[in-house]
Amino acid sequence: MEHRIIGRPSYSLLELKLRPGEEVLAETGAMVYMKDVELKTEMKGGLLGGLKRSLLGGESFFVNRFVSRGEGLLGLAPAYQGDIIHVPLNGMIYAQSGAFLASSEGIEVDTKWGGGRTFFSGEGLFLLKIEGSGDLFLSSFGSIEELEVDGHLRVDTGHIVAFEPTLDFRVSKAGGLKATLLSGEGLVVDFTGRGKVWIQTRSISDYVGWLASLLPSRK
């Protein structure tokens, strides 16, 4: 799929050039502009599929399908400031809720139970399971960086965008009780094995906390 990402890394926008009949699946509200493209809004997977994505995966209840009626042009952007990356997917990855921006046909987005091992801060107990073959576009708050794990890597929970299923992970505290409470570092994830981890350079929860600290307190 012909594409370019502009405005990186702070205010990224994805522009797609579509061939006649080519389709793109995207999150609702992501469209910035389009030309010779038809919009179709649907509940992918029916009512139960929409409820599962919305209530469990943190994604929109509906999804938008853009179908090119000629030499189409489509601009997409996430709701928040940050980066967009292209992942040529041929298999499966796990991603945090809200990371999915768009994909080509042949890619399915589902939720996966995270159980007690969940680590996406404020994102509930579910991960997005993204599977198939094609072009995948992920977005984040802050710049996205790709890290190669060969052995062990420890990452703060609020900075993880996605990771490959070849990696095992375990949630733990950054240090002892005193360090966890006073250092400002909460939970971390220990990845082991070999594979890729995509991180975001900013944490939404930390940013919200910083903004809240600037608000005048009520006397």
Side-chain angles (χ1 to χ4, degrees):
M1 182 175 291
E2 186 175 352
H3 71 277
R4 66 175 184 140
I5 301 173
I6 58 178
R8 298 188 68 184
S10 298
Y11 300 96
S12 298
L13 182 142
L14 170 66
E15 184 179 83
L16 300 167
K17 292 185 178 180
L18 306 178
R19 297 182 296 272
E22 195 167 21
E23 296 187 11
V24 175
L25 187 69
E27 272 294 285
T28 56
M31 192 274 292
V32 179
Y33 56 85
M34 61 182 184
K35 176 184 178 183
D36 295 331
V37 174
E38 180 182 356
L39 169 61
K40 298 180 180 180
T41 302
E42 60 187 45
M43 289 184 294
K44 189 173 178 60
L47 178 61
L48 292 179
L51 287 173
K52 186 178 180 183
R53 283 194 316 277
S54 177
L55 298 178
L56 306 182
E59 299 295 303
S60 301
F61 185 81
F62 297 95
V63 293
N64 285 340
R65 186 177 297 277
F66 297 90
V67 184
S68 178
R69 295 309 182 193
E71 296 297 326
L73 188 66
L74 178 62
L76 301 171
Y80 41 80
Q81 65 190 54
D83 206 356
I84 298 172
I85 60 167
H86 169 237
V87 179
L89 187 64
N90 185 20
M92 182 180 70
I93 64 170
Y94 293 128
Q96 66 162 311
S97 298
F100 174 80
L101 178 64
S103 72
S104 59
E105 292 184 276
I107 291 181
E108 295 291 329
V109 181
D110 201 354
T111 56
K112 175 181 172 59
W113 174 247
R117 300 194 307 168
T118 184
F119 51 81
F120 293 125
S121 178
E123 298 292 348
L125 299 178
F126 291 83
L127 310 174
L128 293 181
K129 178 183 177 183
I130 306 176
E131 188 172 16
S133 179
D135 295 295
L136 171 65
F137 299 94
L138 301 176
S139 61
S140 75
F141 183 68
S143 175
I144 300 179
E145 301 296 331
E146 180 184 300
L147 303 178
E148 289 281 351
V149 181
D150 186 3
H152 172 261
L153 179 69
R154 173 169 286 188
V155 184
D156 182 274
T157 56
H159 289 268
I160 300 172
V161 177
F163 64 95
E164 292 183 326
T166 54
L167 292 168
D168 293 323
F169 66 89
R170 182 177 63 87
V171 182
S172 63
K173 297 176 182 178
L177 179 60
K178 182 178 180 180
T180 301
L181 294 176
L182 302 179
S183 68
E185 305 295 338
L187 296 177
V188 296
V189 179
D190 289 304
F191 288 103
T192 55
R194 298 185 65 180
K196 296 179 180 178
V197 175
W198 289 267
I199 64 165
Q200 58 188 28
T201 59
R202 295 293 183 271
S203 166
I204 292 180
S205 59
D206 290 345
Y207 181 67
V208 171
W210 175 76
L211 287 178
S213 69
L214 302 179
L215 298 176
S217 58
R218 182 178 299 177
K219 295 182 180 180

